[in-house]
Amino acid sequence: MVGRRAHGQLKTTVLAILRAADGPVTARAVIGRWPATESTPAFTTVITVLTRLQQAGAVERIEGPEARFALRHVAGGVAAESMLAALLESSDRSAALMSFAEQLTDQDLAVLRHAVGGPA
């Protein structure tokens, strides 16, 4: 199909735009910063992506005359944000998490169990 985006491409582009922004931006500003190498999505599409990222905990919405959005900074900084972005881009979150967990050391697994309230 002509013009069809790869899975997760919209989320990836929106996250990159938010990461590069100096502060919270409106959906219109996200569209205004859209890379010239990609077709610009509709306003409603950008709002949908931002809302889904907000629901997933990756983005915070700041209410005002026009809602603004910012990348949610999480403990662990850039590494945690990269891990969250990779998970959000995955078409199969369960498989991505399983693959990630299989690569962890016993010490990493103990920290992760503790973080989610399980036995260390």
Side-chain angles (χ1 to χ4, degrees), residues 56-67:
V59 167
E60 75 176 294
R61 180 185 177 115
I62 299 129
E63 295 298 334
E66 188 172 4

Side-chain angles (χ1 to χ4, degrees), residues 21-45:
D22 292 335
V25 294
T26 65
R28 292 183 203 292
V30 170
I31 292 169
R33 297 173 186 202
W34 206 262
T37 56
E38 298 178 25
S39 62
T40 305
F43 176 79
T44 54
T45 301

Side-chain angles (χ1 to χ4, degrees), residues 11-88:
K11 288 182 198 174
T12 301
T13 302
V14 169
L15 288 169
I17 290 168
L18 292 176
R19 194 172 289 116
D22 292 335
V25 294
T26 65
R28 292 183 203 292
V30 170
I31 292 169
R33 297 173 186 202
W34 206 262
T37 56
E38 298 178 25
S39 62
T40 305
F43 176 79
T44 54
T45 301
V46 172
I47 287 290
T48 299
V49 171
L50 287 165
T51 300
R52 288 181 180 163
L53 288 169
Q54 176 194 6
Q55 291 167 343
V59 167
E60 75 176 294
R61 180 185 177 115
I62 299 129
E63 295 298 334
E66 188 172 4
R68 293 175 299 139
F69 299 86
L71 194 61
R72 188 174 152 259
H73 295 283
V74 293
V78 174
E81 288 176 10
S82 295
M83 291 164 53
L84 180 59
L87 182 60
L88 291 170

